[in-house]
Amino acid sequence: MASKVAALPDTLDPDISESAFGKLVEQCATENGWLWTHTTPLPTPAGRRKVRWITPSAPGFPDYLMLHPECPTQFVLEIKSRTGTVEPEQRRWLNAFARLRNCHVATGWPEDWPEIRRYLETPSSVTQVEESPPAV
């Protein structure tokens, strides 16, 4: 019988969209028992022939906030496409989360997928994070 995450790739195409990257994060998190929420931009009319995207939370709030019933550490993840950059508002949020005890903060690009996947697949091995790594 195949592993429950067998459909997940080992590596990602460097040009994967942020949306497709996010779907893989969500699949891996769900399959491994994580509780998660994702901040999704919403299109709003911005005039004729234009759409303006807004995020229905405070500006810069990270893409994912995750908790696992067997892990005392929360996981905060901001994902980016290959060309994506961390905006100042995002950096403020990530650094604020990084100051919390038992909070693992990461910014992930497609090349970081193997590490993100490994983290999500082994929540019971995460016991405590004394200090979070730098967010950016």
Side-chain angles (χ1 to χ4, degrees), residues 20-49:
F21 186 7
K23 295 292 182 206
L24 292 171
V25 168
E26 293 167 12
Q27 177 185 348
C28 190
T30 299
E31 289 179 356
N32 288 285
W34 289 85
L35 305 172
W36 56 270
T37 186
H38 173 57
T39 301
T40 307
L42 301 172
T44 61
R48 205 170 168 176
R49 294 186 173 154

PDB file of all heavy atoms in Angstrom, residues 20-49:
ATOM      1  N   ALA A  20      -0.331  27.136  -6.621  1.00  0.00           N
ATOM      2  CA  ALA A  20      -0.098  25.694  -6.710  1.00  0.00           C
ATOM      3  C   ALA A  20       0.791  25.218  -5.561  1.00  0.00           C
ATOM      4  O   ALA A  20       0.571  24.135  -5.007  1.00  0.00           O
ATOM      5  CB  ALA A  20       0.535  25.349  -8.056  1.00  0.00           C
ATOM      6  N   PHE A  21       1.774  26.010  -5.195  1.00  0.00           N
ATOM      7  CA  PHE A  21       2.645  25.715  -4.061  1.00  0.00           C
ATOM      8  C   PHE A  21       1.789  25.605  -2.797  1.00  0.00           C
ATOM      9  O   PHE A  21       1.895  24.658  -2.015  1.00  0.00           O
ATOM     10  CB  PHE A  21       3.688  26.831  -3.951  1.00  0.00           C
ATOM     11  CG  PHE A  21       4.772  26.648  -2.927  1.00  0.00           C
ATOM     12  CD1 PHE A  21       4.950  25.488  -2.189  1.00  0.00           C
ATOM     13  CD2 PHE A  21       5.658  27.693  -2.707  1.00  0.00           C
ATOM     14  CE1 PHE A  21       5.968  25.366  -1.253  1.00  0.00           C
ATOM     15  CE2 PHE A  21       6.689  27.589  -1.779  1.00  0.00           C
ATOM     16  CZ  PHE A  21       6.835  26.427  -1.046  1.00  0.00           C
ATOM     17  N   GLY A  22       0.899  26.556  -2.612  1.00  0.00           N
ATOM     18  CA  GLY A  22       0.017  26.550  -1.452  1.00  0.00           C
ATOM     19  C   GLY A  22      -0.865  25.313  -1.393  1.00  0.00           C
ATOM     20  O   GLY A  22      -1.086  24.748  -0.319  1.00  0.00           O
ATOM     21  N   LYS A  23      -1.367  24.869  -2.533  1.00  0.00           N
ATOM     22  CA  LYS A  23      -2.208  23.657  -2.554  1.00  0.00           C
ATOM     23  C   LYS A  23      -1.424  22.444  -2.054  1.00  0.00           C
ATOM     24  O   LYS A  23      -1.967  21.595  -1.348  1.00  0.00           O
ATOM     25  CB  LYS A  23      -2.747  23.389  -3.962  1.00  0.00           C
ATOM     26  CG  LYS A  23      -3.694  24.450  -4.465  1.00  0.00           C
ATOM     27  CD  LYS A  23      -4.986  24.463  -3.700  1.00  0.00           C
ATOM     28  CE  LYS A  23      -5.919  25.510  -4.262  1.00  0.00           C
ATOM     29  NZ  LYS A  23      -6.864  26.000  -3.287  1.00  0.00           N
ATOM     30  N   LEU A  24      -0.143  22.363  -2.403  1.00  0.00           N
ATOM     31  CA  LEU A  24       0.686  21.257  -1.918  1.00  0.00           C
ATOM     32  C   LEU A  24       0.930  21.358  -0.421  1.00  0.00           C
ATOM     33  O   LEU A  24       0.895  20.358   0.299  1.00  0.00           O
ATOM     34  CB  LEU A  24       2.010  21.216  -2.679  1.00  0.00           C
ATOM     35  CG  LEU A  24       1.904  20.834  -4.147  1.00  0.00           C
ATOM     36  CD1 LEU A  24       3.233  21.036  -4.853  1.00  0.00           C
ATOM     37  CD2 LEU A  24       1.411  19.403  -4.302  1.00  0.00           C
ATOM     38  N   VAL A  25       1.173  22.583   0.065  1.00  0.00           N
ATOM     39  CA  VAL A  25       1.333  22.795   1.510  1.00  0.00           C
ATOM     40  C   VAL A  25       0.069  22.343   2.232  1.00  0.00           C
ATOM     41  O   VAL A  25       0.122  21.617   3.226  1.00  0.00           O
ATOM     42  CB  VAL A  25       1.654  24.273   1.820  1.00  0.00           C
ATOM     43  CG1 VAL A  25       1.522  24.576   3.312  1.00  0.00           C
ATOM     44  CG2 VAL A  25       3.047  24.639   1.332  1.00  0.00           C
ATOM     45  N   GLU A  26      -1.079  22.753   1.730  1.00  0.00           N
ATOM     46  CA  GLU A  26      -2.356  22.401   2.344  1.00  0.00           C
ATOM     47  C   GLU A  26      -2.591  20.893   2.330  1.00  0.00           C
ATOM     48  O   GLU A  26      -3.046  20.314   3.318  1.00  0.00           O
ATOM     49  CB  GLU A  26      -3.499  23.129   1.621  1.00  0.00           C
ATOM     50  CG  GLU A  26      -3.446  24.626   1.837  1.00  0.00           C
ATOM     51  CD  GLU A  26      -4.352  25.401   0.901  1.00  0.00           C
ATOM     52  OE1 GLU A  26      -5.210  24.796   0.218  1.00  0.00           O
ATOM     53  OE2 GLU A  26      -4.196  26.645   0.841  1.00  0.00           O
ATOM     54  N   GLN A  27      -2.298  20.252   1.200  1.00  0.00           N
ATOM     55  CA  GLN A  27      -2.464  18.802   1.109  1.00  0.00           C
ATOM     56  C   GLN A  27      -1.573  18.094   2.122  1.00  0.00           C
ATOM     57  O   GLN A  27      -2.026  17.208   2.851  1.00  0.00           O
ATOM     58  CB  GLN A  27      -2.130  18.317  -0.307  1.00  0.00           C
ATOM     59  CG  GLN A  27      -2.219  16.805  -0.448  1.00  0.00           C
ATOM     60  CD  GLN A  27      -1.765  16.307  -1.814  1.00  0.00           C
ATOM     61  OE1 GLN A  27      -1.582  17.080  -2.754  1.00  0.00           O
ATOM     62  NE2 GLN A  27      -1.579  15.019  -1.926  1.00  0.00           N
ATOM     63  N   CYS A  28      -0.309  18.468   2.180  1.00  0.00           N
ATOM     64  CA  CYS A  28       0.628  17.824   3.094  1.00  0.00           C
ATOM     65  C   CYS A  28       0.224  18.060   4.546  1.00  0.00           C
ATOM     66  O   CYS A  28       0.235  17.130   5.360  1.00  0.00           O
ATOM     67  CB  CYS A  28       2.040  18.346   2.825  1.00  0.00           C
ATOM     68  SG  CYS A  28       3.332  17.441   3.694  1.00  0.00           S
ATOM     69  N   ALA A  29      -0.154  19.296   4.866  1.00  0.00           N
ATOM     70  CA  ALA A  29      -0.567  19.610   6.238  1.00  0.00           C
ATOM     71  C   ALA A  29      -1.807  18.802   6.628  1.00  0.00           C
ATOM     72  O   ALA A  29      -1.849  18.194   7.702  1.00  0.00           O
ATOM     73  CB  ALA A  29      -0.835  21.109   6.370  1.00  0.00           C
ATOM     74  N   THR A  30      -2.802  18.772   5.767  1.00  0.00           N
ATOM     75  CA  THR A  30      -4.041  18.048   6.050  1.00  0.00           C
ATOM     76  C   THR A  30      -3.787  16.548   6.212  1.00  0.00           C
ATOM     77  O   THR A  30      -4.274  15.925   7.159  1.00  0.00           O
ATOM     78  CB  THR A  30      -5.066  18.300   4.932  1.00  0.00           C
ATOM     79  OG1 THR A  30      -5.344  19.707   4.880  1.00  0.00           O
ATOM     80  CG2 THR A  30      -6.358  17.537   5.187  1.00  0.00           C
ATOM     81  N   GLU A  31      -3.014  15.981   5.298  1.00  0.00           N
ATOM     82  CA  GLU A  31      -2.744  14.551   5.354  1.00  0.00           C
ATOM     83  C   GLU A  31      -1.962  14.145   6.601  1.00  0.00           C
ATOM     84  O   GLU A  31      -1.988  12.986   6.998  1.00  0.00           O
ATOM     85  CB  GLU A  31      -1.982  14.103   4.104  1.00  0.00           C
ATOM     86  CG  GLU A  31      -2.849  14.113   2.862  1.00  0.00           C
ATOM     87  CD  GLU A  31      -2.108  13.702   1.607  1.00  0.00           C
ATOM     88  OE1 GLU A  31      -0.880  13.466   1.668  1.00  0.00           O
ATOM     89  OE2 GLU A  31      -2.759  13.611   0.553  1.00  0.00           O
ATOM     90  N   ASN A  32      -1.287  15.097   7.213  1.00  0.00           N
ATOM     91  CA  ASN A  32      -0.482  14.796   8.389  1.00  0.00           C
ATOM     92  C   ASN A  32      -1.086  15.336   9.685  1.00  0.00           C
ATOM     93  O   ASN A  32      -0.413  15.415  10.707  1.00  0.00           O
ATOM     94  CB  ASN A  32       0.946  15.307   8.177  1.00  0.00           C
ATOM     95  CG  ASN A  32       1.670  14.454   7.165  1.00  0.00           C
ATOM     96  OD1 ASN A  32       2.069  13.333   7.462  1.00  0.00           O
ATOM     97  ND2 ASN A  32       1.806  14.954   5.937  1.00  0.00           N
ATOM     98  N   GLY A  33      -2.367  15.684   9.641  1.00  0.00           N
ATOM     99  CA  GLY A  33      -3.105  16.021  10.848  1.00  0.00           C
ATOM    100  C   GLY A  33      -2.972  17.433  11.370  1.00  0.00           C
ATOM    101  O   GLY A  33      -3.404  17.726  12.486  1.00  0.00           O
ATOM    102  N   TRP A  34      -2.400  18.328  10.591  1.00  0.00           N
ATOM    103  CA  TRP A  34      -2.274  19.719  11.034  1.00  0.00           C
ATOM    104  C   TRP A  34      -3.613  20.438  10.931  1.00  0.00           C
ATOM    105  O   TRP A  34      -4.384  20.208  10.004  1.00  0.00           O
ATOM    106  CB  TRP A  34      -1.247  20.462  10.179  1.00  0.00           C
ATOM    107  CG  TRP A  34       0.158  20.044  10.428  1.00  0.00           C
ATOM    108  CD1 TRP A  34       0.819  18.991   9.861  1.00  0.00           C
ATOM    109  CD2 TRP A  34       1.090  20.658  11.322  1.00  0.00           C
ATOM    110  NE1 TRP A  34       2.104  18.919  10.339  1.00  0.00           N
ATOM    111  CE2 TRP A  34       2.301  19.934  11.238  1.00  0.00           C
ATOM    112  CE3 TRP A  34       1.028  21.753  12.171  1.00  0.00           C
ATOM    113  CZ2 TRP A  34       3.428  20.266  11.975  1.00  0.00           C
ATOM    114  CZ3 TRP A  34       2.146  22.094  12.903  1.00  0.00           C
ATOM    115  CH2 TRP A  34       3.325  21.350  12.811  1.00  0.00           C
ATOM    116  N   LEU A  35      -3.876  21.323  11.847  1.00  0.00           N
ATOM    117  CA  LEU A  35      -4.987  22.262  11.767  1.00  0.00           C
ATOM    118  C   LEU A  35      -4.377  23.528  11.189  1.00  0.00           C
ATOM    119  O   LEU A  35      -3.343  23.990  11.684  1.00  0.00           O
ATOM    120  CB  LEU A  35      -5.566  22.537  13.156  1.00  0.00           C
ATOM    121  CG  LEU A  35      -5.993  21.303  13.948  1.00  0.00           C
ATOM    122  CD1 LEU A  35      -6.356  21.690  15.375  1.00  0.00           C
ATOM    123  CD2 LEU A  35      -7.143  20.606  13.263  1.00  0.00           C
ATOM    124  N   TRP A  36      -4.973  24.066  10.162  1.00  0.00           N
ATOM    125  CA  TRP A  36      -4.346  25.221   9.532  1.00  0.00           C
ATOM    126  C   TRP A  36      -5.388  26.196   9.018  1.00  0.00           C
ATOM    127  O   TRP A  36      -6.544  25.850   8.790  1.00  0.00           O
ATOM    128  CB  TRP A  36      -3.422  24.803   8.384  1.00  0.00           C
ATOM    129  CG  TRP A  36      -4.083  23.973   7.318  1.00  0.00           C
ATOM    130  CD1 TRP A  36      -4.174  22.611   7.278  1.00  0.00           C
ATOM    131  CD2 TRP A  36      -4.761  24.446   6.157  1.00  0.00           C
ATOM    132  NE1 TRP A  36      -4.857  22.215   6.168  1.00  0.00           N
ATOM    133  CE2 TRP A  36      -5.227  23.324   5.455  1.00  0.00           C
ATOM    134  CE3 TRP A  36      -5.016  25.707   5.643  1.00  0.00           C
ATOM    135  CZ2 TRP A  36      -5.935  23.425   4.267  1.00  0.00           C
ATOM    136  CZ3 TRP A  36      -5.723  25.817   4.457  1.00  0.00           C
ATOM    137  CH2 TRP A  36      -6.167  24.678   3.782  1.00  0.00           C
ATOM    138  N   THR A  37      -4.946  27.423   8.884  1.00  0.00           N
ATOM    139  CA  THR A  37      -5.760  28.446   8.239  1.00  0.00           C
ATOM    140  C   THR A  37      -4.871  29.165   7.242  1.00  0.00           C
ATOM    141  O   THR A  37      -3.663  29.283   7.436  1.00  0.00           O
ATOM    142  CB  THR A  37      -6.385  29.425   9.261  1.00  0.00           C
ATOM    143  OG1 THR A  37      -7.275  30.303   8.585  1.00  0.00           O
ATOM    144  CG2 THR A  37      -5.325  30.217  10.015  1.00  0.00           C
ATOM    145  N   HIS A  38      -5.487  29.596   6.162  1.00  0.00           N
ATOM    146  CA  HIS A  38      -4.747  30.264   5.086  1.00  0.00           C
ATOM    147  C   HIS A  38      -5.407  31.593   4.778  1.00  0.00           C
ATOM    148  O   HIS A  38      -6.622  31.662   4.615  1.00  0.00           O
ATOM    149  CB  HIS A  38      -4.749  29.382   3.836  1.00  0.00           C
ATOM    150  CG  HIS A  38      -4.151  30.043   2.630  1.00  0.00           C
ATOM    151  ND1 HIS A  38      -2.878  30.551   2.609  1.00  0.00           N
ATOM    152  CD2 HIS A  38      -4.654  30.258   1.396  1.00  0.00           C
ATOM    153  CE1 HIS A  38      -2.623  31.061   1.413  1.00  0.00           C
ATOM    154  NE2 HIS A  38      -3.699  30.888   0.660  1.00  0.00           N
ATOM    155  N   THR A  39      -4.612  32.628   4.728  1.00  0.00           N
ATOM    156  CA  THR A  39      -5.110  33.942   4.361  1.00  0.00           C
ATOM    157  C   THR A  39      -5.072  34.045   2.851  1.00  0.00           C
ATOM    158  O   THR A  39      -4.009  33.951   2.243  1.00  0.00           O
ATOM    159  CB  THR A  39      -4.235  35.046   4.992  1.00  0.00           C
ATOM    160  OG1 THR A  39      -4.261  34.862   6.406  1.00  0.00           O
ATOM    161  CG2 THR A  39      -4.738  36.420   4.654  1.00  0.00           C
ATOM    162  N   THR A  40      -6.242  34.193   2.247  1.00  0.00           N
ATOM    163  CA  THR A  40      -6.355  34.227   0.795  1.00  0.00           C
ATOM    164  C   THR A  40      -6.751  35.617   0.324  1.00  0.00           C
ATOM    165  O   THR A  40      -7.717  36.178   0.831  1.00  0.00           O
ATOM    166  CB  THR A  40      -7.438  33.236   0.321  1.00  0.00           C
ATOM    167  OG1 THR A  40      -7.149  31.951   0.873  1.00  0.00           O
ATOM    168  CG2 THR A  40      -7.480  33.141  -1.181  1.00  0.00           C
ATOM    169  N   PRO A  41      -6.028  36.168  -0.633  1.00  0.00           N
ATOM    170  CA  PRO A  41      -6.444  37.462  -1.189  1.00  0.00           C
ATOM    171  C   PRO A  41      -7.785  37.334  -1.912  1.00  0.00           C
ATOM    172  O   PRO A  41      -8.080  36.302  -2.511  1.00  0.00           O
ATOM    173  CB  PRO A  41      -5.333  37.814  -2.179  1.00  0.00           C
ATOM    174  CG  PRO A  41      -4.202  36.922  -1.841  1.00  0.00           C
ATOM    175  CD  PRO A  41      -4.791  35.692  -1.224  1.00  0.00           C
ATOM    176  N   LEU A  42      -8.570  38.357  -1.840  1.00  0.00           N
ATOM    177  CA  LEU A  42      -9.875  38.374  -2.501  1.00  0.00           C
ATOM    178  C   LEU A  42      -9.891  39.462  -3.567  1.00  0.00           C
ATOM    179  O   LEU A  42      -9.447  40.583  -3.308  1.00  0.00           O
ATOM    180  CB  LEU A  42     -10.974  38.680  -1.482  1.00  0.00           C
ATOM    181  CG  LEU A  42     -11.108  37.715  -0.308  1.00  0.00           C
ATOM    182  CD1 LEU A  42     -12.104  38.264   0.707  1.00  0.00           C
ATOM    183  CD2 LEU A  42     -11.543  36.354  -0.803  1.00  0.00           C
ATOM    184  N   PRO A  43     -10.415  39.144  -4.751  1.00  0.00           N
ATOM    185  CA  PRO A  43     -10.497  40.194  -5.771  1.00  0.00           C
ATOM    186  C   PRO A  43     -11.646  41.144  -5.466  1.00  0.00           C
ATOM    187  O   PRO A  43     -12.708  40.728  -5.004  1.00  0.00           O
ATOM    188  CB  PRO A  43     -10.765  39.402  -7.056  1.00  0.00           C
ATOM    189  CG  PRO A  43     -11.430  38.158  -6.598  1.00  0.00           C
ATOM    190  CD  PRO A  43     -10.878  37.860  -5.228  1.00  0.00           C
ATOM    191  N   THR A  44     -11.416  42.411  -5.675  1.00  0.00           N
ATOM    192  CA  THR A  44     -12.473  43.407  -5.513  1.00  0.00           C
ATOM    193  C   THR A  44     -12.451  44.310  -6.736  1.00  0.00           C
ATOM    194  O   THR A  44     -11.390  44.551  -7.312  1.00  0.00           O
ATOM    195  CB  THR A  44     -12.265  44.273  -4.255  1.00  0.00           C
ATOM    196  OG1 THR A  44     -11.028  44.960  -4.381  1.00  0.00           O
ATOM    197  CG2 THR A  44     -12.267  43.438  -2.997  1.00  0.00           C
ATOM    198  N   PRO A  45     -13.602  44.813  -7.132  1.00  0.00           N
ATOM    199  CA  PRO A  45     -13.618  45.722  -8.276  1.00  0.00           C
ATOM    200  C   PRO A  45     -12.815  46.980  -7.944  1.00  0.00           C
ATOM    201  O   PRO A  45     -12.953  47.545  -6.876  1.00  0.00           O
ATOM    202  CB  PRO A  45     -15.097  46.059  -8.458  1.00  0.00           C
ATOM    203  CG  PRO A  45     -15.836  45.047  -7.661  1.00  0.00           C
ATOM    204  CD  PRO A  45     -14.910  44.547  -6.600  1.00  0.00           C
ATOM    205  N   ALA A  46     -11.978  47.392  -8.870  1.00  0.00           N
ATOM    206  CA  ALA A  46     -11.170  48.594  -8.665  1.00  0.00           C
ATOM    207  C   ALA A  46     -11.363  49.544  -9.831  1.00  0.00           C
ATOM    208  O   ALA A  46     -10.482  50.305 -10.178  1.00  0.00           O
ATOM    209  CB  ALA A  46      -9.705  48.224  -8.505  1.00  0.00           C
ATOM    210  N   GLY A  47     -12.500  49.455 -10.410  1.00  0.00           N
ATOM    211  CA  GLY A  47     -12.747  50.295 -11.566  1.00  0.00           C
ATOM    212  C   GLY A  47     -12.901  49.445 -12.801  1.00  0.00           C
ATOM    213  O   GLY A  47     -12.836  48.222 -12.769  1.00  0.00           O
ATOM    214  N   ARG A  48     -13.096  50.109 -13.865  1.00  0.00           N
ATOM    215  CA  ARG A  48     -13.337  49.439 -15.130  1.00  0.00           C
ATOM    216  C   ARG A  48     -12.118  48.638 -15.591  1.00  0.00           C
ATOM    217  O   ARG A  48     -11.020  49.160 -15.669  1.00  0.00           O
ATOM    218  CB  ARG A  48     -13.677  50.497 -16.155  1.00  0.00           C
ATOM    219  CG  ARG A  48     -14.482  50.001 -17.254  1.00  0.00           C
ATOM    220  CD  ARG A  48     -14.952  51.165 -18.048  1.00  0.00           C
ATOM    221  NE  ARG A  48     -15.497  50.636 -19.286  1.00  0.00           N
ATOM    222  CZ  ARG A  48     -16.065  51.371 -20.170  1.00  0.00           C
ATOM    223  NH1 ARG A  48     -16.166  52.656 -19.991  1.00  0.00           N
ATOM    224  NH2 ARG A  48     -16.538  50.828 -21.257  1.00  0.00           N
ATOM    225  N   ARG A  49     -12.346  47.358 -15.868  1.00  0.00           N
ATOM    226  CA  ARG A  49     -11.336  46.442 -16.400  1.00  0.00           C
ATOM    227  C   ARG A  49     -10.175  46.166 -15.443  1.00  0.00           C
ATOM    228  O   ARG A  49      -9.165  45.639 -15.850  1.00  0.00           O
ATOM    229  CB  ARG A  49     -10.773  46.953 -17.713  1.00  0.00           C
ATOM    230  CG  ARG A  49     -11.751  46.988 -18.813  1.00  0.00           C
ATOM    231  CD  ARG A  49     -11.036  47.356 -20.078  1.00  0.00           C
ATOM    232  NE  ARG A  49     -11.924  47.251 -21.205  1.00  0.00           N
ATOM    233  CZ  ARG A  49     -11.778  47.938 -22.301  1.00  0.00           C
ATOM    234  NH1 ARG A  49     -10.767  48.760 -22.428  1.00  0.00           N
ATOM    235  NH2 ARG A  49     -12.624  47.782 -23.286  1.00  0.00           N
TER     236      ARG A  49
END
